[in-house]
Amino acid sequence: MATEGQFEYESVLCVKPEVNVYRIPPRASNRAIRAADWKLDAPDWTGRMRVTARGKVAYVKLEDKISGELFAQAPVEEYPGIAVETVSDSSRYFVLRIQDDNGRSAFIGIGFGDRGDAFDFNVALQDHFKWVKQENELSKQAQAPDTTPKLDLGFKEGQTITLNIGQSKKKERSRPQSSGGIGLLPPPPGGKLAPPPSSRSTNHNTQPPAGGSDTGRLLEIVSAVSLTVGHEMCPYCDASGVWQNQSSYKWAM
């Protein structure tokens, strides 16, 4: 039976032309791993390193420089993790857990002569497992049921909609403002204007109408005189002061 990921496409993440392999002493549980404890001037093997990925698992492969024959490989399912560990005293050296086809494992030390190669190896593993984390989150979201209420925009039975196309709102007409400070009142309904109020004078003495006859003016003057000085002063009045002989009097200018 084929194992999971056997028929998946294998991609290359990183290739470094030279890497050194070291045998490392047994690990002490209470001490950090130090590359200074290895024989750094006498590596046990030197070859090419190729980092590949098949599915979500990365593989660190140590191969011969010339023939490309596989010397050892380390499957990496998480990083940082037990499959690839850093050392405490250098950024160029790592501890690698290699496995054979029978599942047996061993720990070896690897190192790069250039810090840039070590940096590229570290970043290649980090980028791959960032992608694995994103894929896992998307897979969980796809499997989780959507509990948010959905908005129903469909028409109900018998429901209609009305569209008003080409109709514009009527603009309100503003009342014209007068040029002065006081506004004019609108005309009353029916278009008829009310007559102005009559002005009544409180003075009892009225002015004589213009354009009257001489006799009319004479009567008004005599009446005013009779009211002021009495009827004894007027020879043309009776005992009550009323003018009697109007036709025989001639006005002398």
Side-chain angles (χ1 to χ4, degrees):
M1 182 177 180
T3 59
E4 183 179 0
Q6 182 176 357
F7 299 105
E8 292 180 338
Y9 175 76
E10 184 179 43
S11 60
V12 178
L13 304 180
C14 178
V15 176
K16 292 301 173 184
E18 183 172 297
V19 63
N20 297 323
V21 176
Y22 304 92
R23 293 180 181 179
I24 61 176
R27 180 183 306 186
S29 59
N30 57 352
R31 283 187 58 186
I33 303 175
R34 299 175 67 251
D37 297 334
W38 310 341
K39 296 178 181 180
L40 299 180
D41 54 347
D44 295 288
W45 184 84
T46 300
R48 180 182 66 185
M49 185 187 72
R50 193 161 56 98
V51 182
T52 64
R54 188 183 299 122
K56 297 180 180 180
V57 181
Y59 295 88
V60 180
K61 297 184 178 183
L62 304 177
E63 301 171 343
D64 185 80
K65 289 183 180 181
I66 300 174
S67 64
E69 183 182 358
L70 182 64
F71 172 74
Q73 73 173 0
V76 184
E77 296 181 356
E78 61 178 354
Y79 183 76
I82 193 174
V84 180
E85 299 177 80
T86 59
V87 298
S88 60
D89 58 344
S90 178
S91 61
R92 296 187 293 118
Y93 297 92
F94 301 85
V95 176
L96 196 67
R97 186 185 67 176
I98 59 175
Q99 289 183 350
D100 59 11
D101 295 336
N102 297 325
R104 294 177 299 180
S105 62
F107 290 93
I108 61 174
I110 61 172
F112 300 92
D114 186 82
R115 294 183 184 276
D117 292 340
F119 176 80
D120 294 342
F121 170 68
N122 189 23
V123 170
L125 291 176
Q126 288 180 351
D127 290 345
H128 171 73
F129 286 100
K130 284 181 181 178
W131 172 82
V132 171
K133 183 178 179 180
Q134 293 175 357
E135 288 293 316
N136 293 335
E137 292 177 353
L138 293 175
S139 178
K140 290 179 181 179
Q141 292 177 3
Q143 295 176 0
D146 189 5
T147 58
T148 57
K150 295 182 179 180
L151 183 61
D152 186 9
L153 299 179
F155 286 98
K156 306 298 185 296
E157 183 177 359
Q159 186 178 4
T160 59
I161 186 172
T162 303
L163 298 177
N164 295 327
I165 302 176
Q167 295 182 2
S168 60
K169 296 182 179 180
K170 295 181 179 180
K171 297 182 179 180
E172 296 182 358
R173 295 181 179 179
S174 59
R175 294 180 179 178
Q177 300 291 335
S178 61
S179 58
I182 302 177
L184 298 179
L185 294 177
K192 296 182 179 180
L193 296 177
S198 60
S199 59
R200 297 180 180 179
S201 174
T202 56
N203 189 3
H204 295 284
N205 296 326
T206 59
Q207 297 294 330
S213 62
D214 295 341
T215 304
R217 288 196 295 269
L218 177 63
L219 291 176
E220 292 176 358
I221 294 173
V222 172
S223 297
V225 171
S226 64
L227 290 176
T228 304
V229 299
H231 62 275
E232 294 84 2
M233 298 292 294
C234 182
Y236 301 99
C237 298
D238 58 6
S240 60
V242 179
W243 182 265
Q244 295 295 326
N245 192 6
Q246 300 179 3
S247 60
S248 61
Y249 180 77
K250 294 184 180 179
W251 182 262
M253 296 300 294

